[in-house]
Amino acid sequence: MNHTIKALEWRYAVKAFDPNHKLTDHQVEGIKKVLNLTASSYGLQPFKFVFVDNVEKREQLLAYSFKQRQVIDASHLLIMAIETNVDDNFVESYLDNISETRKVEKDNLTQFGAMMKGSIGNLDQDGKESWAKNQAYIALGNILTYCAVEGIDTCPMEGFVADAYDEILGFHEMGLKSVLVVPLGIRSSEDQYQNLPKVRRQTDDIIKHI
Amino acid sequence: MNHTIKALEWRYAVKAFDPNHKLTDHQVEGIKKVLNLTASSYGLQPFKFVFVDNVEKREQLLAYSFKQRQVIDASHLLIMAIETNVDDNFVESYLDNISETRKVEKDNLTQFGAMMKGSIGNLDQDGKESWAKNQAYIALGNILTYCAVEGIDTCPMEGFVADAYDEILGFHEMGLKSVLVVPLGIRSSEDQYQNLPKVRRQTDDIIKHI
């Protein structure tokens, strides 16, 4: 069994983090790098990744997290948020970035830009947000795997009151909506969940060949 | 820079696969294992992963893939599909699995079962499908990272005619809907896209601290 598979077997949704264990700056830098490397639709990256360092804010968030103390006890609290204003300007910034990074004239990107603007412009606000949310879930899959390989524990959370999070974190003003909460740190040795066998469907049940 | 970050830098959405290069059985077994290890909401795994081995079917699918020849040329063609009937029976099967795997009485899982049934039962069919689709995107993030680490190339595709795919693959009868297409294989040495610098937002633009 290779290292990544072993790491994914080792991973579980941590219920109790060790509150005394802090991730190193080096570990956090790696996580940031990996988040930014996440694949996304057209490469548009319609998301932001917000670390809540402020202890008071984390305590406020707990009240909207269905008593999941990971929000407080984990070394770092990462919120994955979607951009709510993915409009033509957003696409233009991306084209500027491509032009600069790849040293191509922006005129050569007109067709690609029109295609993105058309495809996203055809969606209503709900559609845009669902599309952006899907991209955030790619980032989640990416970071869960990366962290497991690095021996960093995580707990992906969909169960939180997103409106309250957005209010507390000032996301409205930032043009963001929170979609996922990911406490990061090291598991407590007392978390009994780490000892439970992983439950998965039989390979033949979940994988098909046609 | 660690190995995973290097691998993610190496990864790109492959435009041209080497049609002569086939993944080994060992590589494919690893991919299957990793797909099944993907985290999901409550651990419910509301998805299936379908490999299309049938060459005629792959040719039929090309017509509904906006001319993306990866569907034909990649060594393997993986379709990520959601389960369309995540109902109380689906939850019960999961509880049976937990009970068996962890050697706990099913009676002890009643509360957990009621919670899942309530939370999913509250969603209308569209809501259920969006929820399941999000989970498939976790699998996508997971497998893109895994494959990169293993030196396996991928091309995540949202651009395909899902209804036509479902029809060709008989997904209606299987209670599935296709949501993502992931050709897997080895890049052609002639694919110029592999030489382009990766375009990403500045770390300070995509990562925030509060």
Side-chain angles (χ1 to χ4, degrees):
Chain A
M1 203 192 291
N2 69 40
H3 178 63
T4 309
I5 295 177
K6 264 186 215 147
L8 290 170
E9 297 271 12
W10 169 86
R11 188 202 71 76
Y12 76 110
V14 170
K15 301 294 177 291
F17 282 90
D18 178 350
N20 298 316
H21 196 116
K22 297 296 164 205
L23 299 180
T24 66
D25 289 349
H26 183 72
Q27 284 175 313
V28 176
E29 285 312 307
I31 288 167
K32 290 180 181 180
K33 185 92 190 146
V34 165
L35 289 170
N36 199 18
L37 283 168
T38 297
S40 62
S41 184
Y42 304 119
L44 267 167
Q45 303 189 277
F47 38 50
K48 276 203 171 76
F49 304 107
V50 180
F51 288 86
V52 186
D53 303 330
N54 184 303
V55 177
E56 288 77 30
K57 294 245 184 251
R58 287 175 67 167
E59 277 165 8
Q60 282 178 269
L61 294 175
L62 179 60
Y64 301 98
S65 309
F66 301 101
K67 303 190 180 168
Q68 296 174 91
R69 281 203 53 89
Q70 298 96 314
V71 165
I72 303 283
D73 291 336
S75 168
H76 285 66
L77 181 64
L78 167 64
I79 317 291
M80 296 188 167
I82 54 167
E83 301 268 4
T84 53
N85 304 312
V86 180
D87 53 12
D88 286 1
N89 288 333
F90 193 93
V91 173
E92 283 297 324
S93 302
Y94 177 47
L95 296 176
D96 289 337
N97 192 357
I98 298 175
S99 168
E100 230 173 273
T101 308
R102 296 187 168 164
K103 318 281 177 224
V104 290
E105 291 297 322
K106 213 175 154 194
D107 285 353
N108 295 335
L109 302 170
T110 310
Q111 206 183 345
F112 182 48
M115 195 261 286
M116 287 188 283
K117 286 177 192 172
S119 137
I120 296 160
N122 275 336
L123 301 169
D124 61 14
Q125 187 59 23
D126 276 357
K128 279 186 200 175
E129 293 186 7
S130 294
W131 164 80
K133 190 171 175 177
N134 286 333
Q135 313 309 315
Y137 275 79
I138 304 178
L140 178 64
N142 183 19
I143 208 65
L144 292 180
T145 304
Y146 175 74
C147 284
V149 168
E150 295 296 310
I152 298 167
D153 280 305
T154 51
C155 179
M157 289 169 48
E158 289 179 314
F160 63 98
V161 183
D163 287 344
Y165 266 63
D166 294 348
E167 187 67 34
I168 290 167
L169 299 171
F171 276 5
H172 303 292
E173 296 74 20
M174 296 164 75
L176 300 177
K177 274 191 182 179
S178 53
V179 294
L180 284 161
V181 174
V182 191
L184 304 156
I186 301 295
R187 62 186 70 175
S188 161
S189 58
E190 287 165 23
D191 186 0
Q192 293 308 319
Y193 285 88
Q194 69 194 284
N195 304 316
L196 299 177
K198 201 177 274 298
V199 178
R200 285 296 186 274
R201 285 159 75 183
Q202 295 295 312
T203 305
D204 287 352
D205 185 30
I206 199 158
I207 310 272
K208 298 288 174 191
H209 284 269
I210 289 181
Chain B
M1 204 193 288
N2 69 40
H3 178 63
T4 308
I5 295 178
K6 265 187 215 147
L8 290 171
E9 295 272 11
W10 170 85
R11 188 202 69 76
Y12 75 109
V14 170
K15 300 297 176 292
F17 282 90
D18 178 350
N20 298 315
H21 195 116
K22 297 294 166 208
L23 298 180
T24 65
D25 289 350
H26 183 70
Q27 285 174 314
V28 175
E29 285 311 308
I31 288 166
K32 289 180 181 180
K33 185 91 190 146
V34 165
L35 290 169
N36 199 18
L37 282 168
T38 297
S40 63
S41 185
Y42 305 119
L44 267 167
Q45 303 187 278
F47 38 50
K48 277 203 169 77
F49 305 107
V50 180
F51 288 86
V52 186
D53 302 331
N54 184 303
V55 177
E56 288 77 28
K57 294 244 183 250
R58 287 176 66 166
E59 278 165 7
Q60 281 178 269
L61 294 175
L62 179 59
Y64 301 98
S65 309
F66 302 100
K67 304 190 180 169
Q68 296 174 91
R69 281 202 53 87
Q70 299 95 315
V71 165
I72 302 282
D73 291 336
S75 168
H76 286 66
L77 181 64
L78 167 64
I79 317 291
M80 295 190 168
I82 55 168
E83 301 269 4
T84 53
N85 304 313
V86 180
D87 54 11
D88 286 1
N89 287 333
F90 193 93
V91 173
E92 283 297 326
S93 301
Y94 178 46
L95 295 176
D96 288 338
N97 192 356
I98 298 176
S99 168
E100 230 172 272
T101 308
R102 295 188 169 164
K103 318 283 177 223
V104 290
E105 291 297 322
K106 213 176 154 195
D107 286 352
N108 295 336
L109 302 171
T110 310
Q111 208 184 343
F112 182 50
M115 196 260 287
M116 287 188 283
K117 286 176 191 173
S119 137
I120 297 159
N122 275 337
L123 300 170
D124 61 15
Q125 186 61 22
D126 277 355
K128 279 187 200 176
E129 293 185 7
S130 295
W131 164 81
K133 189 171 176 178
N134 287 333
Q135 313 310 314
Y137 275 79
I138 305 178
L140 178 63
N142 183 19
I143 208 66
L144 292 180
T145 304
Y146 175 74
C147 284
V149 168
E150 295 296 310
I152 298 167
D153 280 305
T154 51
C155 180
M157 289 170 48
E158 289 178 314
F160 62 99
V161 183
D163 286 345
Y165 265 63
D166 294 348
E167 186 67 34
I168 291 167
L169 300 171
F171 276 4
H172 302 292
E173 296 74 20
M174 295 165 77
L176 300 178
K177 274 191 182 180
S178 53
V179 293
L180 284 160
V181 173
V182 191
L184 303 156
I186 301 295
R187 62 186 70 176
S188 162
S189 58
E190 289 165 22
D191 186 0
Q192 293 307 322
Y193 285 88
Q194 68 194 285
N195 304 316
L196 298 178
K198 199 176 274 300
V199 178
R200 286 296 187 275
R201 285 158 78 184
Q202 295 296 312
T203 306
D204 286 352
D205 185 32
I206 198 159
I207 310 271
K208 298 288 175 191
H209 284 270
I210 289 181

